[in-house]
Amino acid sequence: MRTFSKLYLAFIIGIFLTACQPAPKEQKLSLFVFGTLVDVTLWGVDKQTAEQAVKDIETDLKFMHFAWHAWQPGPLGRVNELLSLAGEFSANPALLDIIAKSQQLANNSEHLFNPAIGHLIALWGYNSDDPPKGPPPDEKRIKKLLAKNPRMDDISIDHVRMKNKNAAVKLDLGAIAKGYALDRVVNNIKTLGVKNAIINAGGDIKAIGKHGDRNWHIGIRHPRKEGVLAGISLQDGESIFTSGDYERFYEHEGIRYHHIIDGRTGYPAQGVQSITVIHPDAATADAAATALFIAGVKDWHRIAKKMGIKYAMLIDTNGNIHLNPAMQKRLEFKDKNQQMNISAPL
Ligand code: ADP
Ligand code: MG
């Protein structure tokens, strides 16, 4: 055979082999969206589906981030302007479902998860990309906002019409948006044919299917030390969310003022360093992590039960670990002699 046709044949065989090559089993990609690094890992999908899935995830997360942003101009900003007039108006449809879901979760959490306290959150300075530096706001201003008692049930929704009876309501969806968004993008990639995936949005995670022949396995970070506190395997469809006092905070005269505000006192919730919860619905897991953080050691079991949370771990301000028995069975602590308090809900 002439050299030219040999080369040609080798070229054709090369193309054929490339085309027949299976896609790598695991495909990973990182995106920066929702103000955080989002790691997407897909298992066992062809390249084309993987590309479509990642493209959709990025587009959808960007859209939701824009629609629900608490301080940049956009649909939520406009709804907040209209809410401040305390009347009736047509709301941007991108807001309706997440607001309705937030109302439900606020009710189930005895309003510890209370996204209507946007004015308080802003007063503490947590409505900006740059972390606030303190000092803490004036107590009189906090008390003034508390007296107006903004709550999710001040709002009622009738299809696209929204009614608000309390001008002090300002929505901040920071404690649910990421969870709700993960539910949406995971539902979408399932329709594309993705069966096995894990999406990690800055430590808040939703997983479907498996990683080959084993479950997806992840680490829960220590609220005060570098590295992982415990590992856990996730079941198909589970979400695991953590709220911590280390995410956004400043210190003033030796006191830590973080971004999870107790709507009953007007101050950052006391007594907890972090709380981790598992639930199939990521929006529920997200809101519950915030609510249980505020509930604290005394009330977390009651609120967990009301919100349908079966697995939770709380680390109090002294660094003591509190677990319910179901969660304890699942966690693999890095320190095999880890001390912990195991207690069941009443
Ligand atoms: P992270 O954003 O660190 O994952 P969370 O899910 O707990 O933590 O959300 C905290 C954010 O939720 C705050 O930055 C604020 O925007 C908002 N938030 C603070 N306190 C409350 C509250 N009591 N109810 C609802 N949202 C809150
Ligand atoms: Mg949350």
Side-chain angles (χ1 to χ4, degrees), residues 12-327:
I12 297 289
I13 291 172
I15 288 183
F16 179 73
L17 288 178
T18 313
C20 290
Q21 254 174 23
K25 287 239 154 58
E26 184 178 272
Q27 299 183 63
K28 284 184 174 209
L29 209 113
S30 295
L31 317 160
F32 190 83
V33 55
F34 251 87
T36 184
L37 202 63
V38 179
D39 293 315
V40 180
T41 308
L42 307 172
W43 178 274
V45 280
D46 61 81
K47 217 167 157 233
Q48 202 184 344
T49 309
E51 273 168 14
Q52 183 66 48
V54 170
K55 206 170 116 201
D56 279 10
I57 291 171
E58 186 170 19
T59 312
D60 291 354
L61 288 182
K62 278 187 176 158
F63 172 76
M64 291 185 266
H65 188 220
F66 164 71
W68 305 332
H69 204 289
W71 58 86
Q72 278 167 16
L76 180 60
R78 179 73 183 133
V79 162
N80 273 333
E81 273 172 29
L82 296 163
L83 285 171
S84 74
L85 304 174
E88 194 179 332
F89 58 91
S90 295
N92 186 313
L95 266 307
L96 297 173
D97 193 52
I98 191 170
I99 292 177
K101 177 108 194 172
S102 298
Q103 287 184 305
Q104 234 177 43
L105 290 163
N107 261 316
N108 295 348
S109 73
E110 298 180 3
H111 298 273
L112 297 184
F113 163 71
N114 183 1
I117 59 168
H119 282 298
L120 254 181
I121 293 164
L123 183 62
W124 279 95
Y126 290 110
N127 64 338
S128 144
D129 288 322
D130 306 318
K133 294 186 182 68
D138 182 42
E139 194 178 341
K140 277 196 209 110
R141 295 180 70 192
I142 295 175
K143 290 267 142 60
K144 217 170 141 191
L145 285 179
L146 277 189
K148 296 182 180 152
N149 194 24
R151 302 228 314 202
M152 289 310 283
D153 42 23
D154 290 322
I155 302 172
S156 51
I157 300 176
D158 179 10
H159 297 92
V160 84
R161 298 291 287 170
M162 206 177 274
K163 238 192 237 169
N164 175 29
K165 58 180 190 209
N166 186 346
V169 167
K170 180 183 182 190
L171 298 177
D172 179 319
L173 301 172
I176 183 174
K178 218 198 282 172
Y180 187 98
L182 285 193
D183 287 329
R184 300 285 74 76
V185 294
V186 166
N187 272 357
N188 177 50
I189 63 170
K190 279 206 266 188
T191 67
L192 297 177
V194 176
K195 293 190 179 68
N196 307 293
I198 188 162
I199 306 182
N200 180 344
D204 292 328
I205 293 169
K206 186 168 178 100
I208 49 167
K210 288 178 157 221
H211 181 262
D213 53 8
R214 62 173 176 85
N215 286 348
W216 293 104
H217 192 84
I218 58 118
I220 301 171
R221 72 166 274 193
H222 195 292
R224 288 294 181 272
K225 295 181 204 158
E226 279 296 307
V228 166
L229 171 70
I232 187 164
S233 284
L234 297 177
Q235 303 292 324
D236 182 13
E238 276 186 333
S239 324
I240 180 162
F241 274 66
T242 298
S243 281
D245 69 352
Y246 51 84
E247 301 266 7
R248 305 189 74 204
F249 70 95
Y250 61 86
E251 277 181 6
H252 181 76
E253 295 175 352
I255 300 175
R256 181 182 288 238
Y257 295 99
H258 58 78
H259 69 319
I260 301 173
I261 310 296
D262 185 338
R264 300 165 301 183
T265 62
Y267 282 78
Q270 296 297 305
V272 177
Q273 287 177 357
S274 80
I275 175 103
T276 300
V277 304
I278 299 176
H279 194 278
D281 186 65
T284 303
D286 196 353
T290 308
L292 267 58
F293 188 104
I294 298 167
V297 179
K298 200 169 134 269
D299 294 321
W300 68 301
H301 281 313
R302 189 181 78 248
I303 304 296
K305 206 168 163 188
K306 281 194 161 174
M307 298 187 86
I309 301 293
K310 293 200 185 105
Y311 307 98
M313 169 171 73
L314 181 151
I315 304 178
D316 68 24
T317 26
N318 301 318
N320 296 322
I321 298 177
H322 305 260
L323 297 162
N324 59 9
M327 186 68 152

